[in-house]
Amino acid sequence: MVPCPNSSAFRSQSSANGQTANVINGKSIARAIRAGIANEICRMKETIVKSPGLAIVLVGGRRDSRTFIRVKLKACEEVGITTYVEELPEECTEDEVLHVVSRLNNNPSVNGIIVQLPLPQHVDEERIINFVSPEKDVDGFHPLNMGNLAMKGREPLFIPCAPKSCIELLLRSGVEIMGKRAVVVGRSKIVGLPTSLLLHVSMPFSAFLWLFEVLSISSSSNVFLW
């Protein structure tokens, strides 16, 4: 249960056993974040006459991947980020994917690179992720960024967006993380693992229950604080 019933970002929800929990309204927070980003990009265009560029690499034609990309492109358009989409066929070689990533790494107009996952089975996902420049790894999956995320006192260049959004929702809703007990359901490298690392560096270790490794893991990740 997350205590902060007076915040406009919360609504109460009761369970069958009579306990209540506060559900965060992420939409209003997301609108505020996007408005702030749009203002920053406007100022950037006025001062240096440039806007940030995001490149997305899509291998194959999975419908779910295309849906995710459409959402990202729409969000970028709303705030003024220039986007580039590099599409490769399902049967392309691993070297062809590496060539595209290398070209984007060296393109000064591209400030961030997303390799849409999952990749086809014949392509080594880890090798492709590791080849993305850490300075452009906006997904935060490069070993340098994940390693720095795991170590106190170090700052990753980028943090995976889903875990970062979980923490951001809590902080913007006025939830005090320090001293809470937390359970992360799920341990994927995309959500569960980085979420647990973020909580680990945000609160004393004695207050963090590292239970995500021993729980029966669900297909999605959730964070519970009480």
Side-chain angles (χ1 to χ4, degrees):
M1 184 171 359
V2 180
C4 190
N6 296 324
S7 171
S8 60
F10 282 89
R11 63 182 176 84
S12 295
Q13 191 173 71
S14 299
S15 62
N17 60 10
Q19 293 183 330
T20 59
N22 295 307
V23 181
I24 296 175
N25 177 9
K27 290 184 178 180
S28 60
I29 295 175
R31 283 195 294 268
I33 292 174
R34 286 177 178 168
I37 293 173
N39 288 334
E40 287 185 31
I41 292 175
C42 280
R43 289 195 296 269
M44 178 186 296
K45 290 179 178 178
E46 291 173 355
T47 55
I48 63 175
V49 199
K50 288 180 67 177
S51 62
L54 174 68
I56 303 175
V57 180
L58 173 64
V59 183
R62 287 177 57 114
R63 292 180 60 185
D64 55 347
S65 291
R66 290 190 178 278
T67 298
F68 284 128
I69 288 175
R70 281 198 300 270
V71 172
K72 294 168 186 175
L73 294 178
K74 181 181 178 182
C76 287
E77 182 181 6
E78 289 176 356
V79 300
I81 295 175
T82 303
T83 54
Y84 312 87
V85 179
E86 297 280 351
E87 294 193 38
L88 293 94
E90 180 89 16
E91 64 276 7
C92 73
T93 66
E94 189 172 297
D95 285 341
E96 287 176 314
V97 182
L98 291 172
H99 175 74
V100 169
V101 173
S102 177
R103 177 161 50 80
L104 296 173
N105 281 340
N106 295 311
N107 185 343
S109 297
V110 173
N111 306 104
I113 300 172
I114 292 176
V115 177
Q116 185 63 46
L117 303 178
L119 295 172
Q121 290 187 352
H122 69 279
V123 178
D124 186 339
E125 194 171 279
E126 290 300 321
R127 186 183 180 202
I128 302 300
I129 290 173
N130 294 351
F131 200 71
V132 175
S133 170
E135 291 82 7
K136 297 187 178 185
D137 169 41
V138 292
D139 268 334
F141 296 155
H142 190 281
L144 177 66
N145 287 319
M146 289 293 278
N148 284 340
L149 179 61
M151 301 181 69
K152 286 187 177 181
R154 295 195 181 184
E155 290 290 335
L157 297 171
F158 294 98
I159 297 173
C161 62
K164 175 66 174 176
S165 66
C166 290
I167 303 300
E168 192 71 17
L169 285 172
L170 293 172
L171 295 178
R172 285 177 179 255
S173 300
V175 176
E176 177 58 58
I177 299 177
M178 191 72 70
K180 294 291 192 303
R181 292 179 293 171
V183 175
V184 178
V185 182
R187 57 177 178 183
S188 71
K189 66 182 178 183
I190 296 176
V191 182
L193 176 59
T195 300
S196 69
L197 294 175
L198 275 175
L199 288 170
H200 177 56
V201 299
S202 299
M203 34 201 297
F205 183 77
S206 59
F208 178 61
L209 302 182
W210 206 282
L211 297 180
F212 75 104
E213 291 184 344
V214 297
L215 290 172
S216 296
I217 305 303
S218 68
S219 58
S220 61
S221 296
N222 300 283
V223 181
F224 302 94
L225 296 180
W226 72 99

